[in-house]
Amino acid sequence: MSTMPEHDHSSSPAVHRHRPAPDRAQLDAASGVFALLSDPTRLHLLWLLSEGESDVSHLAGASGASLSTVSQHLAKLRLANLVRSRKEGRRVVYSLRDGHLRNLVIEALSHAEHKVTGDPWHA
């Protein structure tokens, strides 16, 4: 009689043995982040900020969006506590609020790269 081997979940990234299941507040908060990431311009701005802090002029030039468009997107991201700003003389410098967001943006874009290029998926 043959038995199927049990799958070892200890190395599976999908299993979080020490993390409780997310509650409704966490799911709502995460959904809100994903909603903000769903706009290509905002996602591009967050990717640019994942490389380091920057001001509106630099972000507009690097993203190809107008100054007013970038300012509006940054305002939404700041209100959602995804980016922070500080004054440096007469200019305002923006940065990502935390490393979790940086990782999320990089992983989302890495996933998209595989989808677009057809490169093999990682395990």
Side-chain angles (χ1 to χ4, degrees), residues 1-3 12 15 21 25-26 29-31 43 53 62-63 66 76 79 81 83-84 91-94 107 120-121 123:
M1 178 174 187
S2 159
T3 61
S12 174
V15 175
Q26 289 171 305
S31 293
L43 185 56
E53 61 184 22
S63 69
S66 70
K76 287 181 184 180
L79 285 172
N81 286 320
V83 299
R84 62 179 161 230
R91 56 181 218 149
V92 179
V93 178
Y94 292 86
E107 286 299 321
W121 299 99

Side-chain angles (χ1 to χ4, degrees), residues 11 15 40 48 50 55 84-85 95 107 109 111:
S11 63
V15 175
L48 290 167
S50 77
D55 65 10
R84 62 179 161 230
S85 62
S95 61
E107 286 299 321
L109 291 170
H111 177 83

Side-chain angles (χ1 to χ4, degrees), residues 22 28 44 76 100 114:
D28 288 344
H44 192 184
K76 287 181 184 180
H100 294 292
H114 285 277

Side-chain angles (χ1 to χ4, degrees), residues 66-77:
S66 70
L67 286 170
S68 64
T69 297
V70 169
S71 293
Q72 289 173 8
H73 283 299
L74 289 171
K76 287 181 184 180
L77 293 169

Side-chain angles (χ1 to χ4, degrees), residues 16-35:
H16 304 286
R17 295 200 182 276
H18 300 291
R19 262 190 216 154
D23 63 18
R24 186 62 191 192
Q26 289 171 305
L27 292 169
D28 288 344
S31 293
V33 171
F34 282 118

